[in-house]
Amino acid sequence: MRAPPRRAVRAPERGHEALAVLGAGSPRLLGCNDARNPEAAPGRPRLVDAPLDEVVGRLVAHIRDFRPDIFVGHDALGQSTGHPDHVRTHQITLLADEAAGLAHLHPDAGPPWQPTALYAATHPESDVGLLRPLLEGMGKSILAVPDSYVTTSDDVTPWATTKWATILAHRGEAARERPLPGASSPASLKRTAPGSSRPSTSPASPPVPRRATRAS
C-alpha cells in the first residue's frame, strides 16, 4: 500500500497552531512567502524579495495597532543558522521599530507608537551547548555572538515544555529534510535566554541605549 502524500502545512496555518499553544491570539502576517519553502504561501513574494519599505510599512501598522511595550526579533546573524528570512526579519524589525514612533513615516499606518525596548534573539558563543553538535551533525554550522554582547539573562525553565510544544507546532518545518526542530529533543532546549544591549550583532554597530537584544 502506498503511503498517503505528505500534507503541506502553510505558514498561516502553522502560525495559528503555534500561537494557540502560547495562548497568544491570531498571527499578524506580512503577506510574504518563505525563502526556502514555496508551499508556505503560494503566489506570494518571498520575504527576501519583497520591497523593503512596503514590508516595513506593514509591520509598522501592526506595531501601531497592537501597541507592544517590548518588541522581539531575530539577531543580525539570522539566529544560529543564518536563515535568510531571519536575517531579513532582523532588518525589517529594526526599521519598523524606529519608524513606528515617527508620525511622518508611514502616516497611513495609524497613530505613532514607540515600544520601550527592542530585543533580538541570539546565541552567545559560550552558551551554544547541544546546538553545536546537533547542527554539525546535520552539515550546518552555528552562528553565535561574542559573549561580550550579553547583558541580560532570563531563566525560562518554567516555560521549556511550552516552548518545545510551540516549536513542534511548526509541523511543516519539522517534516522537511534536515529539520532542526525534528532533530532536536526537549533535553536540547536552552534553559536560559541571554541577551545583548545592541540592536545588531555586528561589532561595527554602535550601542543604542534604548535597544536591547535577547536570545531565544
Side-chain angles (χ1 to χ4, degrees):
M1 178 182 296
R2 294 181 59 186
R6 179 178 295 166
R7 174 172 171 262
V9 182
R10 298 184 179 181
E13 181 179 342
R14 68 180 191 237
H16 276 284
E17 294 175 355
L19 289 174
V21 174
L22 295 172
S26 299
R28 294 168 178 256
L29 306 177
L30 297 179
C32 297
N33 206 344
D34 190 286
R36 296 174 177 171
N37 182 15
E39 292 300 318
R44 301 290 182 87
R46 301 192 310 166
L47 180 65
V48 295
D49 299 328
L52 182 60
D53 193 59
E54 290 184 13
V55 180
V56 169
R58 295 171 198 165
L59 185 52
V60 167
H62 287 315
I63 294 172
R64 291 176 178 175
D65 179 58
F66 191 75
R67 300 167 71 86
D69 293 320
I70 297 175
F71 198 23
V72 182
H74 294 293
D75 66 10
L77 298 177
Q79 198 174 348
S80 75
T81 62
H83 193 295
D85 284 336
H86 297 177
V87 174
R88 190 62 162 175
T89 298
H90 172 77
Q91 299 165 352
I92 294 168
T93 298
L94 293 185
L95 293 172
D97 173 74
E98 195 71 31
L102 301 174
H104 63 283
L105 294 179
H106 307 282
D108 297 332
W113 174 261
Q114 184 65 71
T116 58
L118 170 62
Y119 292 94
T122 192
H123 294 281
E125 292 172 347
S126 66
D127 200 22
V128 171
L130 295 177
L131 278 178
R132 187 181 301 280
L134 177 66
L135 288 173
E136 289 177 349
M138 298 164 60
K140 299 180 179 181
S141 59
I142 187 165
L143 304 176
V145 302
D147 284 19
S148 59
Y149 278 45
V150 178
T151 61
T152 305
S153 179
D154 293 330
D155 184 1
V156 298
T157 302
W159 299 278
T161 300
T162 300
K163 178 178 179 179
W164 179 245
T166 304
I167 292 173
L168 292 183
H170 289 263
R171 293 181 288 110
E173 291 298 317
R176 295 173 61 197
E177 182 181 2
R178 298 193 309 168
L180 182 57
S184 304
S185 68
S188 70
L189 288 177
K190 295 171 65 62
R191 295 296 180 141
T192 57
S196 164
S197 60
R198 304 185 182 191
S200 168
T201 56
S202 170
S205 300
V208 181
R210 192 185 66 79
R211 303 290 189 270
T213 304
R214 176 171 297 178
S216 57

